[in-house]
Amino acid sequence: MNNKLTTTVSTFFNGIGQVMFQQSPWTGLLFLAGIFWGSYECHLPQVAWGAAVGTAASTLAGYLVTPKSGDGRAGLWGFNGALVGCAFPTFLANTWLMWIALIFCAMVTTWVRQGFNNVMAPWKVNSYTFPFVFMTWLFLFAARTMHGLDAVALSTPELADPFTWSLDTSFGSLVIYWLKGISQVFLINSWITGIFFLVALAVCSRWAAFWAAAASAIALGIAIMFKADPADISQGLFGFSPVLTGIAVGCTFYKPCLRTALWTIAAVVATVFIQAGMDAIVTPYGLTTLTGPFCVATWLFMLPQYKLNKQVS
């Protein structure tokens, strides 16, 4: 019984850790601690509880559908559900109907992930967090017509308004923007949570911590250089997808080396522009890109690199 309990707890926290490609229950525990800190700091405690419920729901779905799969213990059933659990309470009103939708959507991402992975297998890539993105987009669209899901934090569908570019670029502010770029992976707007996440990554992989920090810094520099929306920059919204790209390309799917580092930097920079482009696409619909830019950028940079690595090795 104790072994089963230990395995269950480990699987749960691995699911949270796998959002940033880390198979470590300690990393997952620290991620969740950071989520709780940031969500309570931002007066949105339901986001933290949503992360826990979403992870549990998607993991349970995996046990129900493919109980003998090794994906479960590695946490690969849980990470899309964890992100669904953060997104729903962020964008939808905290009602019992929202929680029902959250649990159902989180469970469905486990099945959707398996299907997408089967389709993408010939190209030697996987769906990453796209099941979360795809299903969450559909549910947020549904909230426009299903009034039981009150889209309280979604913008009204409209074209983006022009803005006057003004941003506090003092050193202290830049550090806060940089750390928020890391915390926003879980939709948390807190620089302290960013520190939690860096420590959590370092517990499992120093390379992952390095690339998370480097990617957020690079993304911040590019966003400022090209004068992206100051409000988005200050909240770290140009950092989270590049952070995931940096960890994925820089040290998860390829061994760290000079060539990989150059390739990763290019992928991170591309992610910033992809995000800006996707922002322009989804803004008229009142949606957010979520981690879609990370998925697109990593697919683009993994496809040719896979063949190159195969030839070299």
Side-chain angles (χ1 to χ4, degrees):
M1 181 64 70
N2 288 336
N3 288 337
K4 288 184 178 180
L5 178 60
T6 300
T7 299
T8 300
V9 172
S10 178
T11 297
F12 172 83
F13 285 113
N14 280 342
I16 300 173
Q18 285 287 6
V19 170
M20 296 196 212
F21 304 101
Q22 307 306 302
Q23 185 179 333
S24 166
W26 292 110
T27 295
L29 176 60
L30 287 170
F31 279 171
L32 189 59
I35 294 168
F36 266 91
W37 179 286
S39 62
Y40 274 84
E41 176 189 331
C42 298
H43 307 291
L44 289 170
Q46 62 268 30
V47 173
W49 293 107
V53 170
T55 305
S58 57
T59 302
L60 175 61
Y63 278 117
L64 293 175
V65 178
T66 55
K68 296 183 180 179
S69 171
D71 285 359
R73 191 163 187 175
L76 297 177
W77 290 336
F79 68 94
N80 280 293
L83 291 172
V84 168
C86 290
F88 273 49
T90 297
F91 299 113
L92 302 175
N94 186 19
T95 66
W96 68 273
L97 288 173
M98 183 277 291
W99 287 100
I100 290 177
L102 184 159
I103 292 169
F104 178 72
C105 184
M107 295 183 76
V108 170
T109 60
T110 302
W111 308 322
V112 171
R113 171 183 170 271
Q114 187 61 52
F116 281 160
N117 283 352
N118 290 341
V119 172
M120 296 177 177
W123 291 276
K124 307 299 181 182
V125 296
N126 65 58
S127 57
Y128 307 128
T129 60
F130 190 67
F132 148 68
V133 175
F134 179 72
M135 294 305 302
T136 301
W137 276 344
L138 292 181
F139 273 74
L140 293 181
F141 270 126
R144 299 295 190 185
T145 57
M146 292 183 168
H147 300 295
L149 294 175
D150 186 5
V152 292
L154 286 177
S155 62
T156 302
E158 60 183 4
L159 295 176
D161 292 329
F163 55 83
T164 300
W165 201 87
S166 178
L167 182 72
D168 180 2
T169 55
S170 63
F171 179 76
S173 294
L174 291 176
V175 171
I176 290 174
Y177 307 157
W178 166 64
L179 288 169
K180 285 185 176 182
I182 301 168
S183 71
Q184 286 284 5
V185 170
F186 284 92
L187 289 82
I188 302 295
N189 185 25
S190 166
W191 64 270
I192 297 177
T193 296
I195 295 175
F196 268 97
F197 289 176
L198 283 176
V199 173
L201 288 168
V203 166
C204 186
S205 167
R206 292 181 181 178
W207 276 113
F210 168 79
W211 277 115
S216 185
I218 293 169
L220 176 60
I222 295 297
I224 292 174
M225 183 186 304
F226 285 89
K227 296 186 177 180
D229 189 330
D232 289 349
I233 294 174
S234 64
Q235 295 179 64
L237 296 180
F238 276 98
F240 63 94
S241 273
V243 164
L244 291 172
T245 301
I247 298 172
V249 179
C251 60
T252 300
F253 297 105
Y254 301 103
K255 294 181 179 179
C257 65
L258 177 59
R259 187 183 65 177
T260 297
L262 295 175
W263 191 252
T264 304
I265 292 171
V268 167
V269 172
T271 305
V272 180
F273 288 98
I274 291 171
Q275 177 159 348
M278 290 184 69
D279 283 342
I281 293 171
V282 302
T283 296
Y285 299 98
L287 291 183
T288 176
T289 60
L290 304 174
T291 56
F294 147 67
C295 295
V296 173
T298 305
W299 286 331
L300 293 176
F301 277 80
M302 289 293 292
L303 287 172
Q305 185 72 349
Y306 168 78
K307 184 174 182 181
L308 181 60
N309 265 15
K310 188 174 182 180
Q311 290 174 343
V312 172
S313 59

